Amino acid sequence: MAAPSLWLTTLGCAKNQVDSEKVTAMLSEAGYVWADSPETADVVMTNTCAFIEEARAESVETILDLEDRKRDGAHSIVIGCMAQRFGTEVSDALPEVDAVLGLDRYGDLVSTLDNLTRWHPVEMKRRPAMDILHATGRPATGLPYGYLKVAEGCNKPCTFCAIPLIRGKQRSRRPTEIREEARSMVDAGVGEVVLVAQDLAAYGRDIDAPGGLPDLLTFLDDVEELARLRLLYLHPREINDRLLETMVSSKLVADYFDLSLQHASQPLLRAMKRPGDGVRHLALVDKIRDLSPDAALRSSFIVGFPGETDSQVDELADFLEQARLDWAGFFPYSAEPGTPAAEMDGQVPREEVMTRLRHLSAVQEEITMEKNAGLIGASDTVLIDQVEDGTPVGRSHRQAPEIDGVVRIDAGSPGDWVAVQYTGAYGLDMEAVRA
Ligand code: SF4
């Protein structure tokens, strides 16, 4: 019997992306092959997201879409955060799905597939699945950037967030393991490694790595041929002078600060169990810009948290106008079962939440476009990620993959680091020529 073929659709955040890459490596090593499309696969799999209501709706939509598209006799498996959090509900609601495996059951994926496909390659000497999942080897993805998850889970008490209920308490990986994985990514053609975790700046607190993230950054300094490190999700409570100075003085770390400020109103931030307020957020922004005038700043914000008033929305809009961040992401508040905020009074009607979100997104988009226009004529260094419709497309230190704008260049190939001069700004994207 030929090796069965698989298809995997990945939803959600960069951490889920890393999980999918590790699952892909594990199943490939177990002998499975990958189909070109869901229609031709023997098994279709969905790596789901359960962060907020919208994400769950998209997960169900994707599962049902793959059910429609899979060929007769093919099987389906659901993995990821929704399988972890709502496994029983998914099985009950979607009986057509053959297996639902949460995050802590990935070690059973190979045997589950073997049983579903009745393929038992006894002649193959397979490594234990968990060894492969925890291995530091990373297959090439064809992209010159990749995500490296340095920890799993989170210990923070944010009242709106279900992630600790899904991913559990923080478990940091050992620095040596992380460096080994960074090396294997560089060997696989990655030039930019993006460090991710639910609470990146709290890295190491749960293991004997007292130096935390700053020490880890210094430890990764000697990964040969690694050209750029980028950090995503810095909780403001964890941002201190040592971290900022380490980031700014490092030759590897991109001058890119992804702050998860969430709001500017003090009473709302307190109800979220989040630190700071508009004044202190501005002070942090100013401190970063004093340390690194060419730094790019991003933040995520929750809109429509219970009790949010029009004047607090205005307060956030004013903060955006003053902070002039390069990028911002706005998430509609979603009452997550099991979170304290879901029980709070003053739940804001959905329509109103989306109206506020559109307003704040428009305020930020204006700022981003003005800042992009201000770059015309400036020089920069860009990593080319891919070629789109014949045009090389890449990113400077100012743009994180997949969430910010891009730079379109007149020449170059994926993986090239090119010196450029900006010639134009189009919406959230830039245009440049090789210098
Ligand atoms: S720090 Fe992030 S992942 Fe952790 S509880 Fe808060 S919002 Fe959720």
Side-chain angles (χ1 to χ4, degrees):
M1 177 180 168
S5 64
L6 311 177
W7 175 267
L8 174 60
T9 296
T10 303
L11 303 172
C13 66
K15 281 86 65 179
N16 237 19
Q17 180 64 38
V18 173
D19 290 351
S20 279
E21 287 177 26
K22 297 223 168 203
V23 162
T24 302
M26 174 178 73
L27 300 179
S28 301
E29 189 174 319
Y32 286 91
V33 295
W34 296 89
D36 297 335
S37 71
E39 287 78 7
T40 58
D42 297 305
V43 183
V44 294
M45 298 184 288
T46 309
N47 187 358
T48 58
C49 175
F51 180 42
I52 54 175
E53 182 48 42
E54 273 83 354
R56 289 194 292 278
E58 185 192 8
S59 293
V60 172
E61 237 172 73
T62 305
I63 295 166
L64 293 175
D65 173 56
L66 290 184
E67 282 297 327
D68 283 350
R69 295 171 63 185
K70 74 181 173 55
R71 62 169 179 71
D72 292 346
H75 301 283
S76 58
I77 296 182
V78 171
I79 62 174
C81 290
M82 208 160 132
Q84 177 71 16
R85 180 101 207 267
F86 303 108
T88 313
E89 293 85 343
V90 171
S91 300
D92 294 348
L94 302 169
E96 60 270 49
V97 170
D98 296 290
V100 178
L101 282 87
L103 304 165
D104 47 20
R105 289 197 53 212
Y106 284 6
D108 303 335
L109 254 176
V110 173
S111 56
T112 301
L113 279 163
D114 289 353
N115 296 335
L116 278 177
T117 60
R118 298 202 176 92
W119 184 62
H120 300 285
V122 284
E123 71 289 352
M124 273 186 80
K125 191 133 184 40
R126 287 172 164 170
R127 280 197 292 162
M130 291 314 279
D131 290 5
I132 310 171
L133 270 181
H134 291 135
T136 56
R138 293 283 296 272
T141 64
L143 287 169
Y145 67 83
Y147 300 102
L148 202 172
K149 191 161 41 170
V150 302
E152 184 69 279
C154 183
N155 300 348
K156 292 271 187 319
C158 309
T159 56
F160 54 82
C161 184
I163 292 176
L165 303 173
I166 300 172
R167 299 257 171 183
K169 288 287 181 197
Q170 175 164 303
R171 287 107 56 213
S172 298
R173 300 173 69 194
R174 302 234 149 263
T176 46
E177 198 186 319
I178 293 168
R179 185 169 62 182
E180 222 173 281
E181 188 157 320
R183 283 207 175 110
S184 81
M185 292 170 80
V186 170
D187 294 345
V190 168
E192 174 179 327
V193 168
V194 183
L195 300 184
V196 295
Q198 274 80 24
D199 192 3
L200 181 65
Y203 168 79
R205 185 132 338 118
D206 56 308
I207 59 173
D208 54 354
L213 185 58
D215 277 17
L216 178 65
L217 298 179
T218 310
F219 194 63
L220 294 173
D221 253 356
D222 65 3
V223 175
E224 277 164 40
E225 290 175 43
L226 174 59
R228 188 188 279 162
L229 268 178
R230 189 181 301 272
L231 280 49
L232 292 183
Y233 318 104
L234 300 175
H235 190 291
R237 192 184 303 292
E238 306 293 347
I239 300 174
N240 54 37
D241 292 351
R242 184 160 172 266
L243 176 61
L244 293 178
E245 278 144 22
T246 305
M247 290 176 69
V248 171
S249 60
S250 163
K251 65 181 185 329
L252 267 186
V253 178
D255 273 354
Y256 180 92
F257 297 83
D258 178 31
L259 316 171
S260 55
L261 301 175
Q262 303 307 357
H263 212 286
S265 150
Q266 192 184 69
L268 274 184
L269 285 162
R270 291 301 159 279
M272 291 178 179
K273 285 215 165 75
R274 300 280 306 189
D277 53 35
V279 174
R280 276 179 277 179
H281 291 345
L282 279 176
L284 174 61
V285 167
D286 292 345
K287 178 187 274 192
I288 292 171
R289 288 192 175 130
D290 289 346
L291 281 169
S292 172
D294 199 31
L297 282 82
R298 158 178 267 277
S299 179
S300 50
F301 296 97
I302 298 259
V303 182
F305 187 82
E308 186 187 61
T309 62
D310 290 345
S311 67
Q312 288 166 333
V313 175
D314 295 343
E315 194 179 346
L316 180 50
D318 291 348
F319 169 78
L320 294 173
E321 298 282 8
Q322 292 173 63
R324 295 188 62 73
L325 303 172
D326 299 80
W327 312 98
F330 298 91
F331 293 89
Y333 169 75
S334 171
E336 290 308 305
T339 63
E343 308 308 320
M344 289 179 185
D345 297 336
Q347 301 283 331
V348 181
R350 193 87 209 142
E351 211 178 312
E352 178 54 25
V353 171
M354 299 318 286
T355 303
R356 294 174 182 185
L357 189 141
R358 283 190 292 274
H359 163 59
L360 292 164
S361 301
V363 170
Q364 179 58 41
E365 194 166 306
E366 198 61 40
I367 294 165
T368 297
M369 292 203 292
E370 283 166 11
K371 295 191 72 131
N372 279 354
L375 287 172
I376 296 173
S379 302
D380 218 335
T381 302
V382 165
L383 168 62
I384 297 180
D385 290 334
Q386 52 214 337
V387 175
E388 280 174 12
D389 308 326
T391 302
V393 173
R395 293 164 299 104
S396 74
H397 73 277
R398 302 169 198 287
Q399 297 111 346
E402 298 160 29
I403 53 175
D404 298 331
V406 294
V407 184
R408 297 179 197 292
I409 308 169
D410 59 347
S413 309
D416 288 357
W417 292 86
V418 290
V420 302
Q421 186 172 37
Y422 293 115
T423 53
Y426 302 92
L428 303 182
D429 298 337
M430 300 295 298
E431 208 163 72
V433 292
R434 293 184 75 141

